[in-house]
Amino acid sequence: MLVKSRPPVSNSLLGIGRRSLGNFSDTLQIARRRLAVRPARYPNISWWAWGLVWVFLTAAAFVRLDTPAGVAHGQWSAGVARLAEFFTQFGLGGWYLIPSALLLVAANLTDWRSLSRRALMLVYSWTCLAFLVLSAVGLSGLTVNVLKYAIGRARPLYFQDFGVLALHPFAFDARFAGFPSGHATTMGAVFGILLLLFPRRWYIALVVTACIASTRVFVGAHYPSDTVAGFGLGCAFALACGLVFARLGFIFRPARSGLPVRKPSFRLVAPEK
């Protein structure tokens, strides 16, 4: 993030290493200082209501859709199957984690003091965004992987053998890693991020991310309830990360009620002179 003034260092490997450690240390100091002076007062969001809706939708999908989806597995048309196979790839976490991690590495190696104010704010915004994506997608991804192997639900690929509700906790077998869906969790986190950044276009983000999440059903990897549960989990992680970022003053500012609001200074494109 933004760094305090330090003596210039050379561009040698040793100098770059020192700059990297200095940038990392400065970022931690900024975060600690802001957390210390800003009490943990988050807006009064009805998480319990969100949780009840999430549980209700997951249960409804289980009761009404899971068995038909298991029966229909392998019966989709070739066109639908190919389309689902293509779009389901965009639910992989690597599409979001790898670029974010690379951007953070580049930012950590950057000599921030040499940048103009215009360039500094632009790089700062992209760095904060990368950190948000890495946090939301990464943390939700770790959580869903623990849950899916702990629960051990059989995938619809094996519906004829195990039925719609076959649990094998801690089997550590990919066949029993259905609930929740990892791809859907990633899409839920992406939706949550887009919801925070572009609240007026939430419906577009929801349609796109939900459609990608639903492809897991058509490829036979997950039941509908797996995708609903994963999507809600990812979205919750993104919103929670947004609240923490607002407290830190990164990207968002706190709102007394409701979700954090994007700061006017956050720009991903340099303003015209």
Side-chain angles (χ1 to χ4, degrees):
M1 308 303 180
L2 294 177
V3 297
K4 61 185 180 181
S5 178
R6 293 193 311 271
V9 296
S10 68
N11 288 324
S12 65
L13 289 178
L14 181 59
I16 292 174
R18 288 176 177 173
R19 182 164 62 224
S20 174
L21 290 175
N23 286 345
F24 182 73
S25 176
D26 289 342
T27 301
L28 289 180
Q29 289 181 22
I30 291 172
R32 288 173 181 171
R33 184 164 58 249
R34 292 184 178 182
L35 290 175
V37 300
R38 299 175 182 179
R41 296 173 182 171
Y42 299 107
N44 187 23
I45 297 177
S46 300
W47 289 106
W48 62 269
W50 288 60
L52 285 178
V53 171
W54 176 53
V55 171
F56 173 78
L57 291 176
T58 301
F62 171 75
V63 172
R64 302 292 298 177
L65 301 176
D66 282 7
T67 297
V71 173
H73 169 63
Q75 299 179 15
W76 309 108
S77 67
V80 170
R82 285 196 297 268
L83 200 63
E85 285 286 354
F86 174 77
F87 281 105
T88 200
Q89 301 303 317
F90 294 100
L92 290 170
W95 285 103
Y96 315 95
L97 295 175
I98 294 175
S100 298
L102 292 176
L103 202 159
L104 287 177
V105 170
N108 183 248
L109 297 175
T110 298
D111 184 1
W112 291 70
R113 298 175 307 281
S114 66
L115 300 175
S116 65
R117 178 171 178 78
R118 189 181 183 205
L120 181 65
M121 294 308 299
L122 186 62
V123 174
Y124 177 69
S125 294
W126 276 102
T127 303
C128 289
L129 177 61
F131 188 25
L132 175 62
V133 172
L134 196 66
S135 300
V137 177
L139 292 175
S140 62
L142 289 174
T143 302
V144 77
N145 275 287
V146 172
L147 287 175
K148 65 167 50 188
Y149 284 106
I151 296 171
R153 186 186 189 186
R155 297 179 185 271
L157 286 168
Y158 310 101
F159 173 76
Q160 299 299 331
D161 297 324
F162 300 108
V164 75
L165 186 61
L167 304 181
H168 297 75
F170 301 105
F172 298 105
D173 187 327
R175 294 178 301 169
F176 308 113
F179 184 91
S181 164
H183 285 62
T185 300
T186 297
M187 284 296 96
V190 172
F191 168 69
I193 294 170
L194 294 174
L195 173 65
L196 292 172
L197 293 177
F198 311 104
R200 295 183 180 180
R201 299 291 185 267
W202 67 268
Y203 51 91
I204 298 176
L206 178 60
V207 169
V208 173
T209 54
C211 284
I212 294 175
S214 68
T215 60
R216 303 306 290 163
V217 176
F218 296 102
V219 299
H222 291 284
Y223 290 103
S225 61
D226 300 337
T227 61
V228 173
F231 195 90
L233 181 68
C235 183
F237 266 87
L239 299 183
C241 288
L243 292 173
V244 175
F245 271 55
R247 182 183 173 193
L248 289 168
F250 298 156
I251 303 179
F252 310 105
R253 59 178 175 82
R256 292 188 176 182
S257 62
L259 299 176
V261 178
R262 187 179 66 184
K263 297 168 69 173
S265 59
F266 176 77
R267 294 176 177 272
L268 297 178
V269 178
E272 296 182 1
K273 294 183 178 180

